Amino acid sequence: MNGLFSGAAARAALRSATACLAELTSSVGVTGLEAAARTPGLLAAVDQHVAAIRDSLSTEVRPLTPVILAAYAEGVRDAAFKHGWRAPDGPIDWSANDWVLNRLLAVCSLAHTMPQSR
């Protein structure tokens, strides 16, 4: 084994993270990024969340990766659920200014800009 993960474990972690981010993009990112493109206030909020996520997760030593980003998104969802937040049933009302949804949308925005690993 080389380092913390073997090559197979690292590839499995990347596949899992990629699937997690794809699911998040499907459920939140597609409609959210379209709404942000039409709504300057939402776009500004998402940009602020993107900056905050980048600041908290990436360093010169450890760049932002899909695995780190997916784990972060799962942590946001888990913490939100523990505090009583529930995902909306049906279409998302992007004008509601929901902090959790805006944060998850920022994750989608970051994931969209990451180079795709094969």
Side-chain angles (χ1 to χ4, degrees):
M1 190 178 297
N2 185 0
L4 182 61
F5 290 114
S6 70
R11 287 188 299 277
L14 181 58
R15 280 192 305 274
S16 177
T18 301
C20 173
L21 293 172
E23 185 277 327
L24 183 62
T25 297
S26 175
S27 63
V28 173
V30 172
T31 62
L33 293 173
E34 288 174 358
R38 294 186 314 268
T39 312
L42 177 58
L43 182 59
V46 171
D47 285 346
Q48 289 175 343
H49 282 280
V50 164
I53 293 168
R54 241 191 216 121
D55 286 349
S56 67
L57 295 181
S58 55
T59 66
E60 290 179 21
V61 177
R62 183 189 66 176
L64 191 57
T65 66
V67 173
I68 292 170
L69 193 58
Y72 177 80
E74 288 297 316
V76 167
R77 283 194 280 204
D78 289 348
F81 285 137
K82 284 180 184 176
H83 287 92
W85 180 85
R86 295 293 173 249
D89 291 328
I92 297 171
D93 176 7
W94 289 105
S95 67
N97 196 25
D98 182 309
W99 187 94
V100 174
L101 288 174
N102 289 351
R103 196 65 158 206
L104 294 174
L105 183 54
V107 169
C108 294
S109 180
L110 280 166
H112 185 70
T113 64
M114 290 186 142
Q116 298 299 313
S117 300
R118 300 274 181 233

